Structure formats: structure tokens, C-alpha cells
Amino acid sequence: MKSHLRLADLLPVSTVGLRSRPGRAALSVLGVAIGIAAMVAVLGVTRSSQADVLAQIDRVGTNLLTVANGKTLRGGEAELPDTAGPAVARTQGVLSAAATATLPIQVYRSDRIPSGRTGGLSVRVTDPALLATLDGTLLHGRFLDAALIRYPAVVLGHYAATVLGIGDVTGRPRIRVGDRWYTVVGVMAPVDLAPELDTAAFIGAPIAAQDFGYQGNPTRIFVRARTDRTTEVATMLARAAAPEHPEEVAVSRPSEALTARLAVTGGTTVLLLGLGGVALLVGGIGIANVLVISVLERRGEIGLRRALGATRGHVGAQFLVESVLLGAAGGLTGVVLGTAVTYAMAAARGWQTLVPAYAVGAGLAAAALIGGCAGLYPALRAARLSPTEALRTL
């Protein structure tokens, strides 16, 4: 009479080894879990990071351009003419433009701060249109307007306000700009595509000319172009800013830096996924090693089952299913661990937590597959044992 092994009996039989040696089974599961957790965490953190970068690009747009003074033919620092700002603003396709200039002076919280302790802050002359051009926002107070630019009023970038210890503009706090006192009228929120502005204190051009001899030559102009003409406008800005020496003007698109970050993140993801795959392979080898030892230890059990009518296929299926179960358990554990790591990283960076569904599905499938592959050799080895050879160990 031909022996049969019902599917309902296959699972209990296959878990005998797991239930009898839980410590060994747990270590086998852990090896696979580490590999799957690494892969899920890499994909989850990468996806969360990319979503944050894409959100930044969406907030500020890809139509923001910057015009800056470049280098002369002799390698020195070029100077934009004082007509550069208005000329750039009149260029076709430009929606708005705001010129800024860095002054060679320092800003301090009070006149008692040593001159060398600048905190890395700078003073910038700015156009009232800067906030609108950047689509920036204020955390406190107001930005410079046509009236305030004529008076000793200053708006602080987000980092500058933090360094100077100014949380809001209540009580009209004052700071030392150069050798003069200025009243803080506003504090800006961080600027995603122009982080150098976060460290600046902004004053108006008329008061800068009066107090510090500003000549009207900008060092950087921020331009908001029509989205459908951004590339075309970028080719015209250098000549508009400096008609006589357009080669001394540097035109760039800040959003390209964020796009480059996406590319770098993608390359790093491939590398880390490769490392996770290596860890998963090591976990699979661990499962194969444990099952080979299990086959050697359970030869008496295998011989008894064969003597009672179990076929080679039944014995092989028992160990193969045991291997798949170990892989699947490792995959499930790894998905949970990887998701937890992703959540922790996203929460620490202020990102939205995103774990791709394909990462979870691929992780579980890969774990089960590696478990099945790892169990092939032990299953075949167990199936080749004859009842007589196996029973000699009893």
C-alpha cells in the first residue's frame, strides 16, 4: 500500500525540530531577519528621505534661478554692475527678481561681544521683493518694505536669530550691525533652496549706503522665472546682468542641488541593498548549516519514519518546509524591525514615514525563497538516508 502524507500533517511534522530546539531556531531566524531588516530599512528610509526632498522642490519650485558674481579672466572675483538687479528684473520670462549683496561687516547681539565671536553670521543688503521671490515665510514680525529700508531695521534669517538668541520681535529687540544699533523687525523661516540666507541679517539698500557706504553692486540676485521658460531665461540672465562681461556671471538653478541629492541617494541605496543582500545570504547559509546538523542529529527519527512507511519525498518535504518556515519567520521579523528603524529615523529627521509596499512584499518573498533554497541540500541529504543506515544510530 502506497504511503501518503496529508498536508494537514506536514506542518506539525515539519515543526518538530523547531519546537524541540527553540534557541537554535531563533538564531537561524535572526540571521535572516537582519538581512531583511536592513533591506526594508534602507528602502523605507530612502523613500522617506526622497519624499522630503521632493516636497522641498514642490514647495519652492524648479523655476528659481540665481545670478551671482563669478570669476574674471585673471581668476579674481568679478563684480556685478549696480544696474544688474533692474536689468535682470526686466528680462522676458522673469516674474520677479530680488538683488542681495554681502557687506564686509559683522553682526552681534550687543556691543559687549568680542569682535572675533561672529557666530558665522553675515550682513546682507536686500531688496523688499526677496521674500516674495523666494516664496519665503516669516516666523515673527514683518519683512523690509519701501519704508523700512530707509531706517535701521533688520530682518534675521532663522539660524541667525537662533545664534543671537532672539525668539520673536516682542519688545523691539536691538542688535549691533557693524558699529550701529538696528532694531529687529522680523525673523524668517528656513529657506530650503538658499540655506546661506538662514545665517544672514538683512538690511535695506538706502540705510546700507548711508551707514556703510554700500555702492549698489549686488553679489547675488534671486530670480523667479516662468516655469515653462526657465531654461530659456537662464541663458539670457548673464548678458542681462553684465552686458559687457557675461562670462563673469554665474547662473544656477538651486533645485538642481536637490535633484543631485536624489541621484546620490539612489546610488547609496543600491550599495546598501547589496550589503543587505549579503546579510540575507549569510542568514540563508546559517539556516542550511543548522538543518544539516539537524539531519545528522535526527537520523534515528528519519530511519524510524522510513521504516514505518514514509517515502523519501515525505522526509525531504519535512525538512524543506522547516527551512521555508525559518526563512518566512525571519522575513516577518525583519520587516517589523526594518519598519521600526524607518519610523525612528523619519521621526528623528522630521520626515513623513514611508515604507514601500513592494519592500515588504519583496522582503517576505526573498526570505521564504532563501529559506527554501537553503533547505534543498539538507532535505535531499535526509531523503537519501535509508532506513537501515538511519536506524544504526538508535
Side-chain angles (χ1 to χ4, degrees):
M1 181 177 178
K2 188 176 181 180
S3 175
H4 294 279
L5 178 63
R6 298 181 304 170
L7 291 177
D9 296 328
L10 180 59
L11 187 61
V13 170
S14 301
T15 57
V16 169
L18 305 181
R19 288 182 277 117
S20 61
R21 297 175 179 83
R24 182 187 296 178
L27 291 176
S28 301
V29 168
L30 182 61
V32 175
I34 291 174
I36 296 298
M39 299 174 73
V40 172
V42 166
L43 292 173
V45 171
T46 300
R47 184 68 183 88
S48 300
S49 173
Q50 289 177 340
D52 181 70
V53 174
L54 291 173
Q56 292 182 41
I57 294 176
D58 290 340
R59 282 197 303 270
V60 298
T62 58
N63 62 336
L64 181 67
L65 302 169
T66 61
V67 179
N69 54 327
K71 298 292 183 180
T72 65
L73 294 178
R74 295 183 179 181
E77 186 173 345
E79 185 178 73
L80 294 177
D82 56 6
T83 58
V88 166
R90 291 193 299 267
T91 303
Q92 290 186 354
V94 172
L95 299 178
S96 63
T100 66
T102 304
L103 298 181
I105 57 177
Q106 305 299 332
V107 55
Y108 303 97
R109 184 66 179 88
S110 72
D111 55 358
R112 299 192 178 187
I113 304 297
S115 60
R117 301 179 63 177
T118 63
L121 307 183
S122 62
V123 178
R124 286 178 179 261
V125 180
T126 188
D127 189 286
L130 178 67
L131 195 67
T133 300
L134 294 174
D135 285 338
T137 57
L138 288 171
L139 296 178
H140 306 285
R142 57 191 290 194
F143 198 71
L144 300 174
D145 54 29
L148 287 176
I149 59 174
R150 302 180 179 276
Y151 297 96
V154 60
V155 174
L156 299 177
H158 184 263
Y159 179 77
T162 301
V163 170
L164 295 173
I166 297 177
D168 55 49
V169 296
T170 304
R172 297 183 180 180
R174 297 195 305 166
I175 61 173
R176 196 76 169 169
V177 178
D179 58 353
R180 300 178 183 273
W181 290 101
Y182 275 64
T183 301
V184 180
V185 296
V187 176
M188 292 178 61
V191 182
D192 292 328
L193 289 188
E196 69 274 13
L197 300 184
D198 293 339
T199 63
F202 301 96
I203 62 175
I207 192 66
Q210 176 184 316
D211 289 349
F212 308 112
Y214 173 58
Q215 299 296 315
N217 300 95
T219 55
R220 180 160 299 188
I221 304 171
F222 294 93
V223 180
R224 185 69 70 175
R226 286 179 49 181
T227 303
D228 58 340
R229 298 188 61 182
T230 302
T231 303
E232 177 187 354
V233 170
T235 63
M236 298 188 292
L237 291 181
R239 186 165 295 279
E244 295 183 1
H245 299 285
E247 71 281 357
E248 297 180 355
V249 180
V251 179
S252 61
R253 186 185 297 188
S255 61
E256 291 178 350
L258 294 178
T259 304
R261 277 178 55 189
L262 291 176
V264 171
T265 301
T268 305
T269 299
V270 174
L271 174 62
L272 294 178
L273 281 178
L275 295 177
V278 171
L280 181 60
L281 179 61
V282 171
I285 294 173
I287 290 179
N289 184 51
V290 166
L291 287 182
V292 168
I293 295 174
S294 180
V295 169
L296 295 177
E297 291 177 343
R298 297 164 62 186
R299 283 181 295 178
E301 173 195 335
I302 295 170
L304 183 60
R305 289 196 60 214
R306 290 296 311 280
L308 294 175
T311 65
R312 294 181 183 273
H314 295 162
V315 173
Q318 171 187 342
F319 284 91
L320 186 61
V321 171
E322 182 176 343
S323 177
V324 172
L325 289 175
L326 284 172
L332 184 60
T333 304
V335 167
V336 173
L337 290 176
T339 302
V341 171
T342 301
Y343 180 83
M345 287 287 294
R349 298 294 183 90
W351 301 335
Q352 178 186 2
T353 303
L354 295 174
V355 178
Y358 67 83
V360 175
L364 294 175
L369 179 61
I370 202 73
C373 292
L376 284 176
Y377 173 71
L380 291 174
R381 182 164 182 170
R384 285 198 300 265
L385 288 174
S386 65
T388 304
E389 178 185 357
L391 286 173
R392 288 175 184 167
T393 61
L394 290 177

